[in-house]
Structures are given as structure tokens and as C-alpha cells.
Amino acid sequence: MLEGRVALITGAGKGIGKEIAMELSKLGAKCVINYASSLAGAEETVNEIKKSGGDAYAYQCDVSDYTQVEKMIKDAIEHYGKIDILVNNSGITKDNLLLKMTEADFDAVININLKGAFHCIKAVTKPMMKQRYGRIINITSIVGVIGNAGQANYAASKAGLIGLTKSAARELATRNITVNAVAPGFIQTDMTEVLSDTVKEQLLEQIPMKKLGETADIANAVCFLADERAAYITGQVLNVNGGMAM
Ligand code: NAP
């Protein structure tokens, strides 16, 4: 249970982030709903949480900009008094084959997916160390573990996130702060909606469970790691992928 806990979830105006916020809130956590462009989605998440008796507010911030992230964390601590749980969920894709991938598309993906998480971790570290409690959960990807043709930038960002997770876990372990990653397989969201039917069929062939995952599958894994009782689990990558990689 997460009563009395405060969570900040990046990219929580839609998709996996929204589901994570809804589930953390159901368990009692007060939630800061970060968004970059999905104002309506973020407001809807807040309204849904409030309707079910929870507490949340929306906050616009581009996680690739450290100054904005620092302010978001400061404001959240002013608002709720602390942050116990940080979920780095924001992510984008700009897929292309290596030969065609521009430097700008490589940088854009790294800046949001990897540096964005670094910025948020850096900004919460001091307050979490002071309170001697923290749960940091980074949403990486199966692609960061096994690679994927056409996604060199995305795979690099997600593999980097795994290294960041393990290093932060080692640095913060003695302060009662755990840092873990959840690596989704292919989940039904806007991000995978763009895949062609042929690609989806090819993917299904590789998934032992023969279906794409749902946002709730990822949210449940995050809730497990966010719980006080996951105290002795740190530096781990929890694969949630229907058996696609094992
Ligand atoms: P999505 O629906 O496209 O959501 C992406 C989220 O990232 C949005 O909430 C978006 O916020 C946020 N975001 C993008 N740029 C941002 C920025 N500069 N600052 C702050 N937030 C930003 O995709 P999703 O499928 O839910 O993905 C969520 C996470 O799961 C991502 O990290 C993704 O890589 C990972 N993942 C997804 C899958 C999958 O199959 N869907 C598989 C493995 C991993 P706005 O809408 O407000 O811009």
C-alpha cells in the first residue's frame, strides 16, 4: 500500500504513464502528473484520480531541459512536502535505419529518453537522500536489452537507461533508495499504434503469449517495485514482455 506516499510520473498524460499514475493513486499515493504536450490528457488523468478519491495535479515540463526539471521537483516538494516515488516513463521514438538516421533524430531520442531520466534522478537525489527513502523506477524497453533494426537511437537510449539504473542503484543503496527498471515488450499504446499490420504479425510470432501487452501489465510491475516491501530489490531490470525475451 502507498498511503502517505508521493509519486511523480513523467509523461503521465497518456499511455503507460497514465496507467502507472492511476494504479499508484489507487494504492494511495498522491501523484504529480508530468506532461510535455498532452495537457488535455494530463487534466483527464488528474480528474479520473480525483473522481476515485485520490489526489493529483498536472505539471508541464520538458524532461530534456534540466532547469525545467529542477523547478518541477522543487514545486512538487513545496506542494506535497516530499517525493517518495519517481517514475521515469517519458519516451519518444524516431525510427530509421542507421544509414538514414540523422544526428538530430539520434540526439532528440537520447535527450528525452536517457538525459530526461538522468535529470529527474539528479533533481530528486538530494531530497530522497535527506529523507532516507526513495523508489526510482525507470521505464526502459525490451529493445534496450536485445536491440532492434531501425531503432539504434531508441535502443541506445534504453540500454543507457539500464546502465543509469544500475549505477544509481549502487550509489544510493545505503540511503534506503532503490533504483530499478521495468522493460516492457510491445504494449498497446500510441507508440505501437503506428506499426503496420505486417510488423505486428511478425512481432506476435516472436511472443510466446501471442498477444501484445496492456498498459496495466506495466503499471502492475511498477506498483510492485514502488512498494515499501520491495525494499531489498535494487539495480534490477524487470522484463514484462509475454516471454518475448528470456
Ligand atoms: P506514448 O503513449 O507515446 O507516451 C509517451 C509519453 O512520453 C507521453 O506521455 C509524452 O508526453 C512523454 N514525453 C515525450 N516527450 C517528453 C518530454 N520532452 N518531456 C516529458 N514527457 C515527454 O508511449 P508509451 O507507449 O505510453 O510509452 C511510455 C514509455 O514506455 C516510454 O518510455 C516508452 O519508450 C516505453 N516503452 C513502451 C513500449 C510500448 O510498446 N508501448 C515498449 C517498451 C517501452 P506528452 O504526450 O505530454 O508529450
Side-chain angles (χ1 to χ4, degrees):
M1 298 307 279
L2 299 174
E3 265 109 21
R5 297 291 179 201
V6 177
L8 186 149
I9 307 99
T10 67
K14 62 177 187 163
I16 292 172
K18 177 178 180 182
E19 191 73 23
I20 292 170
M22 301 293 300
E23 290 303 312
L24 289 174
S25 154
K26 275 186 209 159
L27 293 172
K30 294 172 187 163
C31 293
V32 182
I33 306 299
N34 162 256
Y35 67 97
S37 59
S38 295
L39 169 63
E43 284 178 346
E44 193 187 288
T45 311
V46 169
N47 288 339
E48 283 181 37
I49 287 175
K50 285 188 172 164
K51 249 193 250 161
S52 12
D55 189 353
Y57 72 91
Y59 194 100
Q60 200 272 336
C61 161
D62 175 353
V63 293
S64 68
D65 181 331
Y66 185 64
T67 311
Q68 289 187 34
V69 169
E70 222 180 2
K71 189 169 183 316
M72 171 172 71
I73 302 295
K74 191 170 163 276
D75 288 354
I77 291 173
E78 265 170 31
H79 189 93
Y80 283 134
K82 59 176 182 168
I83 298 175
D84 300 299
I85 302 161
L86 165 67
V87 185
N88 285 309
N89 164 77
S90 292
I92 61 164
T93 52
K94 284 190 183 287
D95 299 350
N96 219 331
L97 294 172
L98 270 171
L99 282 174
K100 291 184 181 166
M101 188 174 284
T102 62
E103 191 180 352
D105 281 354
F106 192 88
D107 289 348
V109 170
I110 296 289
N111 284 340
I112 292 174
N113 299 12
L114 181 55
K115 274 186 84 182
F118 162 69
H119 291 155
C120 294
I121 292 173
K122 185 172 160 66
V124 297
T125 292
K126 213 185 220 174
M128 279 188 178
M129 281 171 88
K130 266 197 188 161
Q131 72 192 16
R132 293 200 173 259
Y133 187 87
R135 294 278 180 271
I136 298 173
I137 299 146
N138 300 319
I139 307 301
T140 175
S141 167
I142 185 174
V143 165
V145 180
I146 66 172
N148 197 20
Q151 289 200 305
N153 49 359
Y154 183 76
S157 73
K158 294 299 188 179
L161 205 45
I162 293 174
L164 175 63
T165 300
K166 293 181 180 181
S167 302
R170 286 184 188 276
E171 279 190 36
L172 303 175
T174 58
R175 306 302 176 110
N176 202 22
I177 300 167
T178 65
V179 190
N180 291 289
V182 172
F186 286 84
I187 310 298
Q188 288 176 42
T189 67
D190 288 354
M191 196 175 266
T192 46
E193 193 55 41
V194 293
L195 300 174
S196 69
D197 286 346
T198 321
V199 171
K200 278 188 189 155
E201 274 164 31
Q202 286 166 353
L203 280 173
L204 289 179
E205 276 171 28
Q206 298 170 51
I207 303 171
M209 286 189 179
K210 299 292 172 215
K211 58 177 183 181
L212 297 191
E214 291 172 14
T215 53
D217 295 318
I218 306 309
N220 290 333
V222 170
C223 288
F224 166 70
L225 292 168
D227 197 281
E228 245 176 66
R229 291 168 294 181
Y232 203 53
I233 304 173
T234 198
Q236 303 304 308
V237 181
L238 180 50
N239 292 290
V240 183
N241 58 32
M244 192 174 177
M246 44 173 108

